Amino acid sequence: MTADQPPLPAPDADDLVVPLRAGERLAISRALTEVERQSLTATRLIAALVPYLGKAVIVGITGPPGAGKSTLVNALVRQVRAVGRRVGVLAVDPSSPVSGGAILGDRIRMTAALDDDGVFVRSLASRGALGGLSTAAIRSIDILDGAGFDLVLVETVGTGQSEIDIADVTDVRLVLAAPGLGDDIQAMKSGLLEIADILVVNKGDRPDAEQTVQQLHGAVSLRAHNRPLPVLKTTATTGAGLDALMTAIDERAKVAHREPVAVRRRRRARVVIARAAGDLITERVRSGRDSKLADLADALLAGHIDPRTAAEHLLSG
Ligand SMILES: Nc1nc2c(ncn2[C@@H]2O[C@H](COP(=O)(O)OP(=O)(O)O)[C@@H](O)[C@H]2O)c(=O)[nH]1
Ligand SMILES: [Mg+2]
């Protein structure tokens, strides 16, 4: 996505490292913009940050629209700021390229944090309608980590692709549900339950919240492997349940950070490359000018080759 960015003078990676490490807002903002542009500066900058990376706890927050993810992110920001920890937020919203409405709403709710240097919020577009994380969104994690934030909260909408992405790029995964799930429990069992480290029933102020907690406990106990999976109740609008949630996040983070930084970053790097490869193939298909793709399409139509083999040929050069 480089086409319609305004032509700012490209900052030098070396000039960004020191102010970024010092947590200066302007440097963070420019660094994130370079990452969105997928510029060489971004690549150099992240390389220069490597010695400092891996300290932040990366928390993924996913779940259906309206469950209260943004409100909970706000409440978590307040919670961690109260004890002096610094927090960065990446809000990935698939609706942003079209309407901008949800992003604006989130921004307004986040304004309380704007004059606090311990908080940085950036809204990012997702990869199209599926809501997966873009390469830029994933690499932005390194920028916020390098800027010294203790926590990085990544809010995504709980569509299939973003669930899968978030599983591989974050240390702690929160899956949010709102009361009154009903049949949706079934869906959670198959997809979201598998990636969750902590299940959160938000809107705990609603009378049916406890029933949803019980339903989720039931679903959790039915899973084949019995990895411990806490089910917590929060009320994001009042902050109720946030202490317990923060404790659970920190506990889980301790386990996640036992894994060496290099291993965690390599897992993220693999997802970044997979996304970039997908984007590249999509571009080649859309351009309509790729002769190899055209030949493979003819071979497929003639029944000489199956789609998977064609894809392998395409990827191999
Ligand atoms: N009653 C109640 N409403 C909440 C709570 N948390 C969020 N909401 C409301 O639910 C709506 C959707 O919240 P939002 O954070 O935008 O959800 P998101 O789409 O998951 O990010 C908003 O009107 C919030 O004010 C809560 O704990 N209790
Ligand atoms: Mg939201």
Side-chain angles (χ1 to χ4, degrees):
M1 309 291 145
T2 51
D4 40 23
Q5 298 272 358
L8 276 178
D12 197 71
D14 292 339
D15 295 338
L16 280 176
V17 176
V18 172
L20 184 78
R21 290 286 302 144
E24 286 177 24
R25 303 195 82 82
L26 185 63
I28 300 170
S29 180
R30 296 194 81 178
L32 291 172
T33 300
E34 290 306 311
V35 165
E36 273 175 86
R37 286 175 168 168
Q38 307 194 29
S39 70
L40 195 58
T41 298
T43 301
R44 290 199 180 124
L45 179 60
I46 291 173
L49 290 173
V50 164
Y52 313 106
L53 298 180
K55 294 203 178 64
V57 171
I58 319 301
V59 182
I61 297 144
T62 191
K69 296 179 296 297
S70 299
T71 314
L72 188 77
V73 164
N74 248 342
L76 277 171
V77 165
R78 243 177 276 129
Q79 184 84 5
V80 299
R81 287 307 292 144
V83 294
R85 294 163 86 187
R86 299 177 66 236
V87 54
V89 177
L90 296 172
V92 183
D93 193 323
S95 63
S96 63
V98 190
S99 69
I103 288 284
L104 192 60
D106 288 352
R107 279 207 180 128
I108 288 165
R109 265 177 276 161
M110 289 284 185
T111 46
L114 283 183
D115 51 7
D116 175 0
D117 270 348
V119 183
F120 191 97
V121 180
R122 176 64 78 103
S123 296
L124 296 166
S126 74
R127 296 177 75 244
L130 280 179
L133 298 178
S134 64
T135 53
I138 301 169
R139 302 191 93 206
S140 295
I141 293 172
D142 281 344
I143 298 296
L144 295 180
D145 185 6
F149 290 104
D150 301 297
L151 278 113
V152 176
L153 310 178
V154 186
E155 178 195 337
T156 66
V157 171
T159 57
Q161 191 55 56
S162 69
E163 284 158 29
I164 296 160
D165 289 351
I166 216 148
D168 280 327
V169 306
T170 60
D171 299 321
V172 183
R173 302 128 196 124
L174 308 188
V175 172
L176 236 70
L181 276 174
D183 291 343
D184 292 347
I185 293 275
Q186 286 304 121
M188 290 200 77
K189 237 189 280 184
S190 56
L192 286 167
L193 281 193
E194 294 315 311
I195 64 134
D197 295 307
I198 302 167
L199 288 174
V200 180
V201 176
N202 188 43
K203 308 197 182 183
D205 53 322
R206 285 192 13 189
D208 45 350
E210 194 49 43
Q211 192 192 344
T212 303
V213 170
Q214 294 315 321
Q215 284 173 331
L216 283 175
H217 272 303
V220 166
S221 67
L222 288 176
R223 292 175 317 152
H225 54 90
N226 260 327
R227 189 167 53 93
L229 182 49
V231 183
L232 300 177
K233 193 165 75 175
T234 60
T235 306
T237 42
T238 65
L242 267 285
D243 277 334
L245 175 59
M246 207 51 235
T247 303
I249 290 172
D250 284 334
E251 267 171 28
R252 180 63 214 175
K254 244 182 256 164
V255 176
H257 277 205
R258 271 186 219 140
E259 224 178 10
V261 182
V263 175
R264 285 181 267 138
R265 295 200 62 234
R266 190 176 298 130
R267 193 159 42 231
R268 274 215 294 274
R270 279 202 292 259
V271 180
V272 167
I273 293 170
R275 287 298 153 272
D279 292 344
L280 205 62
I281 299 274
T282 305
E283 277 166 33
R284 281 170 71 170
V285 171
R286 287 205 183 129
S287 81
R289 280 181 271 108
D290 192 302
S291 59
K292 187 169 182 182
L293 188 58
D295 292 346
L296 287 167
D298 288 342
L300 183 71
L301 283 177
H304 298 320
I305 197 169
D306 63 275
R308 195 186 164 86
T309 310
E312 279 167 1
H313 279 297
L314 193 63
L315 278 173
S316 67

